[in-house]
Amino acid sequence: AVSASNGIVYFDVWDAVEVSKAEFRTAADEVEAFEEVPFEITTPNPNIGNALAVTLPSSFVQDSAESEDDFFLRFTYSSLPSTTALSWLTPEQTAGKVHPFVYSLCQMNFCRDWAPMMDSPSQKITYDSVVVAPSELVVSMSGNMTSSTKLNETHSKTTFECTEKIPSYQLALIVGDLKTASLSDRVQVLAEEPYLEAAVKEFEDLPAVLDSTEAYLTPYIWGNYSIVV
């Protein structure tokens, strides 16, 4: 309500997120056509990052004062190498010493250093993604894999979808020379090859624990249950 009254929507970002364009459309638009809108990035409190402020169209702000119309914001952005949410390992830092490795860590609030979003547990998100990586590497995310296809002679394209709302700190990505072992039809462990056997032994009871937890509480609604070691 506050955002609608003054025509500004605020998002939290850190220095490693470079936003180049902000676009807007209402949910009522029959054609999904976005219009570019002004934005600015300021630093009101350097301890918690920057503030991305988007100015909404004046016509929408006036109309929304009497209605509660939904609207969409679309950002064009890139994360910079200095991001704290992504850790890039050289081949020498891995067990295999052959391929590089990348993994994300969005807790506590590092996700705002990866993508512009309302980085708070009270603001939950769904997402879909496309990850292009060398074909010899395994790609995994906190969402469920929906497809994996060969893009060219060297790279593959993997898509993911998370349809259940999650806090942004649960957005997760890992790409590396990993091996996968299935513990059940929905539980799997991923690890570099030298550590896979020990990881399987460590988590061999996890399918039973998950079943017992569901029986005591509620069903696990997020699809696959994957652990990366």
Side-chain angles (χ1 to χ4, degrees), residues 2 34-35 40 45 61 75 79 82 90 92-93 99 103 105 121 137 139-140 156 163 166 173-174 180 189 192 194:
V2 174
F34 286 78
E35 61 174 295
E40 65 173 344
N45 185 343
V61 176
F75 298 101
S79 60
S82 57
T90 64
E92 291 74 21
Q93 294 175 296
H99 301 288
Y103 67 93
L105 179 61
L137 302 184
V139 180
S140 185
S156 296
T163 57
I166 59 173
L173 166 72
I174 190 165
T180 303
V189 174
E192 293 183 276

PDB file of all heavy atoms in Angstrom, residues 2 34-35 40 45 61 75 79 82 90 92-93 99 103 105 121 137 139-140 156 163 166 173-174 180 189 192 194:
ATOM      1  N   VAL A   2       1.925   1.225   0.790  1.00  0.00           N
ATOM      2  CA  VAL A   2       2.816   2.382   0.839  1.00  0.00           C
ATOM      3  C   VAL A   2       3.472   2.611  -0.511  1.00  0.00           C
ATOM      4  O   VAL A   2       3.589   3.728  -0.992  1.00  0.00           O
ATOM      5  CB  VAL A   2       3.882   2.185   1.928  1.00  0.00           C
ATOM      6  CG1 VAL A   2       4.895   3.316   1.889  1.00  0.00           C
ATOM      7  CG2 VAL A   2       3.224   2.109   3.299  1.00  0.00           C
ATOM      8  N   PHE A  34       5.716  -4.960 -21.763  1.00  0.00           N
ATOM      9  CA  PHE A  34       6.242  -4.152 -20.670  1.00  0.00           C
ATOM     10  C   PHE A  34       6.659  -2.781 -21.189  1.00  0.00           C
ATOM     11  O   PHE A  34       7.090  -2.646 -22.330  1.00  0.00           O
ATOM     12  CB  PHE A  34       7.461  -4.827 -20.032  1.00  0.00           C
ATOM     13  CG  PHE A  34       7.127  -6.010 -19.163  1.00  0.00           C
ATOM     14  CD1 PHE A  34       6.819  -7.243 -19.724  1.00  0.00           C
ATOM     15  CD2 PHE A  34       7.140  -5.893 -17.791  1.00  0.00           C
ATOM     16  CE1 PHE A  34       6.534  -8.336 -18.919  1.00  0.00           C
ATOM     17  CE2 PHE A  34       6.855  -6.969 -16.973  1.00  0.00           C
ATOM     18  CZ  PHE A  34       6.551  -8.194 -17.540  1.00  0.00           C
ATOM     19  N   GLU A  35       6.521  -1.766 -20.360  1.00  0.00           N
ATOM     20  CA  GLU A  35       7.036  -0.445 -20.678  1.00  0.00           C
ATOM     21  C   GLU A  35       8.195  -0.135 -19.742  1.00  0.00           C
ATOM     22  O   GLU A  35       8.175  -0.482 -18.561  1.00  0.00           O
ATOM     23  CB  GLU A  35       5.953   0.625 -20.528  1.00  0.00           C
ATOM     24  CG  GLU A  35       5.378   0.772 -19.131  1.00  0.00           C
ATOM     25  CD  GLU A  35       4.421   1.948 -19.027  1.00  0.00           C
ATOM     26  OE1 GLU A  35       4.883   3.094 -19.194  1.00  0.00           O
ATOM     27  OE2 GLU A  35       3.221   1.704 -18.780  1.00  0.00           O
ATOM     28  N   GLU A  40      16.407   4.024  -9.808  1.00  0.00           N
ATOM     29  CA  GLU A  40      17.673   4.517  -9.297  1.00  0.00           C
ATOM     30  C   GLU A  40      18.138   3.624  -8.159  1.00  0.00           C
ATOM     31  O   GLU A  40      17.332   2.978  -7.484  1.00  0.00           O
ATOM     32  CB  GLU A  40      17.561   5.966  -8.818  1.00  0.00           C
ATOM     33  CG  GLU A  40      16.652   6.163  -7.617  1.00  0.00           C
ATOM     34  CD  GLU A  40      16.707   7.588  -7.092  1.00  0.00           C
ATOM     35  OE1 GLU A  40      17.649   8.314  -7.448  1.00  0.00           O
ATOM     36  OE2 GLU A  40      15.807   7.962  -6.310  1.00  0.00           O
ATOM     37  N   ASN A  45      21.772   2.821   3.661  1.00  0.00           N
ATOM     38  CA  ASN A  45      22.467   2.178   4.773  1.00  0.00           C
ATOM     39  C   ASN A  45      23.494   1.205   4.201  1.00  0.00           C
ATOM     40  O   ASN A  45      23.144   0.103   3.773  1.00  0.00           O
ATOM     41  CB  ASN A  45      21.474   1.429   5.669  1.00  0.00           C
ATOM     42  CG  ASN A  45      22.134   0.833   6.903  1.00  0.00           C
ATOM     43  OD1 ASN A  45      23.352   0.699   6.967  1.00  0.00           O
ATOM     44  ND2 ASN A  45      21.334   0.478   7.893  1.00  0.00           N
ATOM     45  N   VAL A  61      -0.522   4.579 -10.493  1.00  0.00           N
ATOM     46  CA  VAL A  61      -0.563   4.977  -9.092  1.00  0.00           C
ATOM     47  C   VAL A  61      -1.899   5.616  -8.745  1.00  0.00           C
ATOM     48  O   VAL A  61      -2.500   5.340  -7.713  1.00  0.00           O
ATOM     49  CB  VAL A  61       0.595   5.943  -8.777  1.00  0.00           C
ATOM     50  CG1 VAL A  61       0.496   6.447  -7.339  1.00  0.00           C
ATOM     51  CG2 VAL A  61       1.932   5.267  -9.004  1.00  0.00           C
ATOM     52  N   PHE A  75      13.213  -6.914 -14.383  1.00  0.00           N
ATOM     53  CA  PHE A  75      14.520  -6.279 -14.342  1.00  0.00           C
ATOM     54  C   PHE A  75      15.490  -7.003 -15.268  1.00  0.00           C
ATOM     55  O   PHE A  75      15.496  -8.236 -15.324  1.00  0.00           O
ATOM     56  CB  PHE A  75      15.102  -6.297 -12.924  1.00  0.00           C
ATOM     57  CG  PHE A  75      14.287  -5.532 -11.925  1.00  0.00           C
ATOM     58  CD1 PHE A  75      13.433  -6.193 -11.058  1.00  0.00           C
ATOM     59  CD2 PHE A  75      14.365  -4.159 -11.854  1.00  0.00           C
ATOM     60  CE1 PHE A  75      12.679  -5.505 -10.134  1.00  0.00           C
ATOM     61  CE2 PHE A  75      13.612  -3.452 -10.938  1.00  0.00           C
ATOM     62  CZ  PHE A  75      12.769  -4.118 -10.079  1.00  0.00           C
ATOM     63  N   SER A  79      24.826 -10.388 -12.349  1.00  0.00           N
ATOM     64  CA  SER A  79      25.590 -10.438 -11.103  1.00  0.00           C
ATOM     65  C   SER A  79      27.075 -10.358 -11.451  1.00  0.00           C
ATOM     66  O   SER A  79      27.526 -10.941 -12.437  1.00  0.00           O
ATOM     67  CB  SER A  79      25.283 -11.725 -10.327  1.00  0.00           C
ATOM     68  OG  SER A  79      25.613 -12.856 -11.091  1.00  0.00           O
ATOM     69  N   SER A  82      32.153 -10.111  -7.986  1.00  0.00           N
ATOM     70  CA  SER A  82      32.344  -9.818  -6.568  1.00  0.00           C
ATOM     71  C   SER A  82      31.172 -10.251  -5.695  1.00  0.00           C
ATOM     72  O   SER A  82      31.191 -10.043  -4.483  1.00  0.00           O
ATOM     73  CB  SER A  82      32.565  -8.310  -6.377  1.00  0.00           C
ATOM     74  OG  SER A  82      31.478  -7.563  -6.912  1.00  0.00           O
ATOM     75  N   THR A  90      38.341 -22.721  -8.491  1.00  0.00           N
ATOM     76  CA  THR A  90      39.188 -23.137  -9.601  1.00  0.00           C
ATOM     77  C   THR A  90      39.308 -24.658  -9.581  1.00  0.00           C
ATOM     78  O   THR A  90      39.028 -25.299  -8.555  1.00  0.00           O
ATOM     79  CB  THR A  90      40.579 -22.508  -9.476  1.00  0.00           C
ATOM     80  OG1 THR A  90      41.210 -23.014  -8.289  1.00  0.00           O
ATOM     81  CG2 THR A  90      40.484 -20.976  -9.378  1.00  0.00           C
ATOM     82  N   GLU A  92      41.833 -26.422  -9.219  1.00  0.00           N
ATOM     83  CA  GLU A  92      42.765 -26.830  -8.171  1.00  0.00           C
ATOM     84  C   GLU A  92      42.099 -26.899  -6.802  1.00  0.00           C
ATOM     85  O   GLU A  92      42.605 -27.574  -5.888  1.00  0.00           O
ATOM     86  CB  GLU A  92      43.945 -25.851  -8.117  1.00  0.00           C
ATOM     87  CG  GLU A  92      44.875 -25.906  -9.325  1.00  0.00           C
ATOM     88  CD  GLU A  92      44.267 -25.274 -10.575  1.00  0.00           C
ATOM     89  OE1 GLU A  92      43.313 -24.454 -10.425  1.00  0.00           O
ATOM     90  OE2 GLU A  92      44.726 -25.601 -11.679  1.00  0.00           O
ATOM     91  N   GLN A  93      40.984 -26.219  -6.626  1.00  0.00           N
ATOM     92  CA  GLN A  93      40.287 -26.219  -5.337  1.00  0.00           C
ATOM     93  C   GLN A  93      39.271 -27.347  -5.214  1.00  0.00           C
ATOM     94  O   GLN A  93      38.599 -27.461  -4.190  1.00  0.00           O
ATOM     95  CB  GLN A  93      39.588 -24.879  -5.130  1.00  0.00           C
ATOM     96  CG  GLN A  93      40.533 -23.699  -4.978  1.00  0.00           C
ATOM     97  CD  GLN A  93      39.797 -22.377  -4.901  1.00  0.00           C
ATOM     98  OE1 GLN A  93      39.133 -21.960  -5.849  1.00  0.00           O
ATOM     99  NE2 GLN A  93      39.905 -21.709  -3.775  1.00  0.00           N
ATOM    100  N   HIS A  99      37.945 -29.679 -13.333  1.00  0.00           N
ATOM    101  CA  HIS A  99      36.909 -28.724 -13.724  1.00  0.00           C
ATOM    102  C   HIS A  99      36.678 -27.679 -12.638  1.00  0.00           C
ATOM    103  O   HIS A  99      36.857 -27.953 -11.449  1.00  0.00           O
ATOM    104  CB  HIS A  99      35.592 -29.459 -13.992  1.00  0.00           C
ATOM    105  CG  HIS A  99      35.687 -30.487 -15.071  1.00  0.00           C
ATOM    106  ND1 HIS A  99      35.802 -30.157 -16.405  1.00  0.00           N
ATOM    107  CD2 HIS A  99      35.683 -31.851 -15.017  1.00  0.00           C
ATOM    108  CE1 HIS A  99      35.865 -31.259 -17.136  1.00  0.00           C
ATOM    109  NE2 HIS A  99      35.793 -32.302 -16.310  1.00  0.00           N
ATOM    110  N   TYR A 103      29.037 -22.715  -6.504  1.00  0.00           N
ATOM    111  CA  TYR A 103      27.886 -23.004  -5.646  1.00  0.00           C
ATOM    112  C   TYR A 103      27.394 -21.696  -5.027  1.00  0.00           C
ATOM    113  O   TYR A 103      28.151 -20.732  -4.895  1.00  0.00           O
ATOM    114  CB  TYR A 103      28.246 -24.012  -4.551  1.00  0.00           C
ATOM    115  CG  TYR A 103      29.232 -23.517  -3.524  1.00  0.00           C
ATOM    116  CD1 TYR A 103      28.802 -22.928  -2.330  1.00  0.00           C
ATOM    117  CD2 TYR A 103      30.605 -23.644  -3.731  1.00  0.00           C
ATOM    118  CE1 TYR A 103      29.707 -22.480  -1.383  1.00  0.00           C
ATOM    119  CE2 TYR A 103      31.514 -23.201  -2.792  1.00  0.00           C
ATOM    120  CZ  TYR A 103      31.066 -22.622  -1.618  1.00  0.00           C
ATOM    121  OH  TYR A 103      31.962 -22.166  -0.684  1.00  0.00           O
ATOM    122  N   LEU A 105      25.286 -19.522  -1.926  1.00  0.00           N
ATOM    123  CA  LEU A 105      24.939 -19.490  -0.511  1.00  0.00           C
ATOM    124  C   LEU A 105      24.168 -18.190  -0.279  1.00  0.00           C
ATOM    125  O   LEU A 105      24.756 -17.120  -0.164  1.00  0.00           O
ATOM    126  CB  LEU A 105      26.175 -19.542   0.376  1.00  0.00           C
ATOM    127  CG  LEU A 105      25.906 -19.492   1.883  1.00  0.00           C
ATOM    128  CD1 LEU A 105      25.058 -20.685   2.320  1.00  0.00           C
ATOM    129  CD2 LEU A 105      27.205 -19.438   2.662  1.00  0.00           C
ATOM    130  N   PRO A 121      12.245 -13.099   4.576  1.00  0.00           N
ATOM    131  CA  PRO A 121      11.442 -14.322   4.697  1.00  0.00           C
ATOM    132  C   PRO A 121       9.950 -14.088   4.517  1.00  0.00           C
ATOM    133  O   PRO A 121       9.208 -15.006   4.175  1.00  0.00           O
ATOM    134  CB  PRO A 121      11.757 -14.807   6.114  1.00  0.00           C
ATOM    135  CG  PRO A 121      13.091 -14.241   6.425  1.00  0.00           C
ATOM    136  CD  PRO A 121      13.124 -12.900   5.749  1.00  0.00           C
ATOM    137  N   LEU A 137      29.599 -31.356 -16.799  1.00  0.00           N
ATOM    138  CA  LEU A 137      29.304 -30.956 -15.428  1.00  0.00           C
ATOM    139  C   LEU A 137      27.841 -31.214 -15.089  1.00  0.00           C
ATOM    140  O   LEU A 137      26.980 -31.222 -15.945  1.00  0.00           O
ATOM    141  CB  LEU A 137      29.626 -29.472 -15.225  1.00  0.00           C
ATOM    142  CG  LEU A 137      31.068 -29.048 -15.502  1.00  0.00           C
ATOM    143  CD1 LEU A 137      31.267 -27.590 -15.175  1.00  0.00           C
ATOM    144  CD2 LEU A 137      32.056 -29.923 -14.723  1.00  0.00           C
ATOM    145  N   VAL A 139      24.457 -30.007 -13.094  1.00  0.00           N
ATOM    146  CA  VAL A 139      23.807 -28.772 -12.636  1.00  0.00           C
ATOM    147  C   VAL A 139      22.632 -29.152 -11.745  1.00  0.00           C
ATOM    148  O   VAL A 139      21.837 -30.026 -12.081  1.00  0.00           O
ATOM    149  CB  VAL A 139      23.299 -27.932 -13.828  1.00  0.00           C
ATOM    150  CG1 VAL A 139      22.628 -26.661 -13.330  1.00  0.00           C
ATOM    151  CG2 VAL A 139      24.434 -27.606 -14.778  1.00  0.00           C
ATOM    152  N   SER A 140      22.513 -28.480 -10.609  1.00  0.00           N
ATOM    153  CA  SER A 140      21.387 -28.718  -9.722  1.00  0.00           C
ATOM    154  C   SER A 140      20.947 -27.398  -9.102  1.00  0.00           C
ATOM    155  O   SER A 140      21.765 -26.501  -8.894  1.00  0.00           O
ATOM    156  CB  SER A 140      21.758 -29.722  -8.624  1.00  0.00           C
ATOM    157  OG  SER A 140      20.632 -30.043  -7.824  1.00  0.00           O
ATOM    158  N   SER A 156      25.470 -27.924 -22.450  1.00  0.00           N
ATOM    159  CA  SER A 156      24.088 -28.391 -22.312  1.00  0.00           C
ATOM    160  C   SER A 156      23.250 -27.314 -21.627  1.00  0.00           C
ATOM    161  O   SER A 156      23.779 -26.449 -20.923  1.00  0.00           O
ATOM    162  CB  SER A 156      24.025 -29.686 -21.492  1.00  0.00           C
ATOM    163  OG  SER A 156      24.698 -30.739 -22.154  1.00  0.00           O
ATOM    164  N   THR A 163       7.641 -24.238  -8.186  1.00  0.00           N
ATOM    165  CA  THR A 163       6.265 -23.731  -8.221  1.00  0.00           C
ATOM    166  C   THR A 163       5.717 -23.437  -6.829  1.00  0.00           C
ATOM    167  O   THR A 163       4.681 -22.792  -6.705  1.00  0.00           O
ATOM    168  CB  THR A 163       5.344 -24.744  -8.922  1.00  0.00           C
ATOM    169  OG1 THR A 163       5.430 -26.010  -8.241  1.00  0.00           O
ATOM    170  CG2 THR A 163       5.750 -24.927 -10.372  1.00  0.00           C
ATOM    171  N   ILE A 166       8.916 -19.947  -1.873  1.00  0.00           N
ATOM    172  CA  ILE A 166      10.010 -20.126  -0.919  1.00  0.00           C
ATOM    173  C   ILE A 166      10.592 -18.751  -0.576  1.00  0.00           C
ATOM    174  O   ILE A 166      10.507 -17.820  -1.374  1.00  0.00           O
ATOM    175  CB  ILE A 166      11.132 -21.021  -1.491  1.00  0.00           C
ATOM    176  CG1 ILE A 166      11.707 -20.410  -2.772  1.00  0.00           C
ATOM    177  CG2 ILE A 166      10.627 -22.437  -1.734  1.00  0.00           C
ATOM    178  CD1 ILE A 166      12.931 -21.128  -3.307  1.00  0.00           C
ATOM    179  N   LEU A 173      21.960 -22.898  -6.245  1.00  0.00           N
ATOM    180  CA  LEU A 173      22.535 -23.371  -7.503  1.00  0.00           C
ATOM    181  C   LEU A 173      23.867 -24.031  -7.215  1.00  0.00           C
ATOM    182  O   LEU A 173      24.636 -23.575  -6.359  1.00  0.00           O
ATOM    183  CB  LEU A 173      22.746 -22.196  -8.465  1.00  0.00           C
ATOM    184  CG  LEU A 173      23.647 -22.450  -9.687  1.00  0.00           C
ATOM    185  CD1 LEU A 173      22.932 -23.349 -10.705  1.00  0.00           C
ATOM    186  CD2 LEU A 173      24.061 -21.137 -10.332  1.00  0.00           C
ATOM    187  N   ILE A 174      24.161 -25.123  -7.935  1.00  0.00           N
ATOM    188  CA  ILE A 174      25.473 -25.742  -7.866  1.00  0.00           C
ATOM    189  C   ILE A 174      25.800 -26.338  -9.229  1.00  0.00           C
ATOM    190  O   ILE A 174      24.932 -26.928  -9.886  1.00  0.00           O
ATOM    191  CB  ILE A 174      25.543 -26.813  -6.752  1.00  0.00           C
ATOM    192  CG1 ILE A 174      26.985 -27.256  -6.534  1.00  0.00           C
ATOM    193  CG2 ILE A 174      24.648 -28.003  -7.044  1.00  0.00           C
ATOM    194  CD1 ILE A 174      27.197 -28.013  -5.252  1.00  0.00           C
ATOM    195  N   THR A 180      25.919 -38.548  -8.786  1.00  0.00           N
ATOM    196  CA  THR A 180      24.625 -38.595  -8.113  1.00  0.00           C
ATOM    197  C   THR A 180      24.298 -40.024  -7.703  1.00  0.00           C
ATOM    198  O   THR A 180      24.503 -40.967  -8.469  1.00  0.00           O
ATOM    199  CB  THR A 180      23.509 -38.068  -9.035  1.00  0.00           C
ATOM    200  OG1 THR A 180      23.834 -36.745  -9.455  1.00  0.00           O
ATOM    201  CG2 THR A 180      22.172 -38.042  -8.330  1.00  0.00           C
ATOM    202  N   VAL A 189      21.652 -37.890  -3.344  1.00  0.00           N
ATOM    203  CA  VAL A 189      22.838 -37.242  -2.803  1.00  0.00           C
ATOM    204  C   VAL A 189      23.771 -36.935  -3.964  1.00  0.00           C
ATOM    205  O   VAL A 189      23.985 -37.777  -4.844  1.00  0.00           O
ATOM    206  CB  VAL A 189      23.551 -38.146  -1.778  1.00  0.00           C
ATOM    207  CG1 VAL A 189      24.869 -37.524  -1.334  1.00  0.00           C
ATOM    208  CG2 VAL A 189      22.668 -38.391  -0.573  1.00  0.00           C
ATOM    209  N   GLU A 192      31.274 -34.867  -5.082  1.00  0.00           N
ATOM    210  CA  GLU A 192      32.395 -35.223  -5.941  1.00  0.00           C
ATOM    211  C   GLU A 192      32.717 -36.707  -5.712  1.00  0.00           C
ATOM    212  O   GLU A 192      32.509 -37.241  -4.622  1.00  0.00           O
ATOM    213  CB  GLU A 192      33.595 -34.351  -5.631  1.00  0.00           C
ATOM    214  CG  GLU A 192      33.383 -32.884  -6.011  1.00  0.00           C
ATOM    215  CD  GLU A 192      34.618 -32.054  -5.767  1.00  0.00           C
ATOM    216  OE1 GLU A 192      34.800 -31.617  -4.609  1.00  0.00           O
ATOM    217  OE2 GLU A 192      35.388 -31.851  -6.717  1.00  0.00           O
ATOM    218  N   PRO A 194      35.173 -38.761  -5.029  1.00  0.00           N
ATOM    219  CA  PRO A 194      35.862 -39.333  -3.859  1.00  0.00           C
ATOM    220  C   PRO A 194      35.025 -39.322  -2.582  1.00  0.00           C
ATOM    221  O   PRO A 194      35.321 -40.073  -1.641  1.00  0.00           O
ATOM    222  CB  PRO A 194      37.095 -38.438  -3.706  1.00  0.00           C
ATOM    223  CG  PRO A 194      37.310 -37.835  -5.049  1.00  0.00           C
ATOM    224  CD  PRO A 194      35.926 -37.642  -5.610  1.00  0.00           C
TER     225      PRO A 194
END
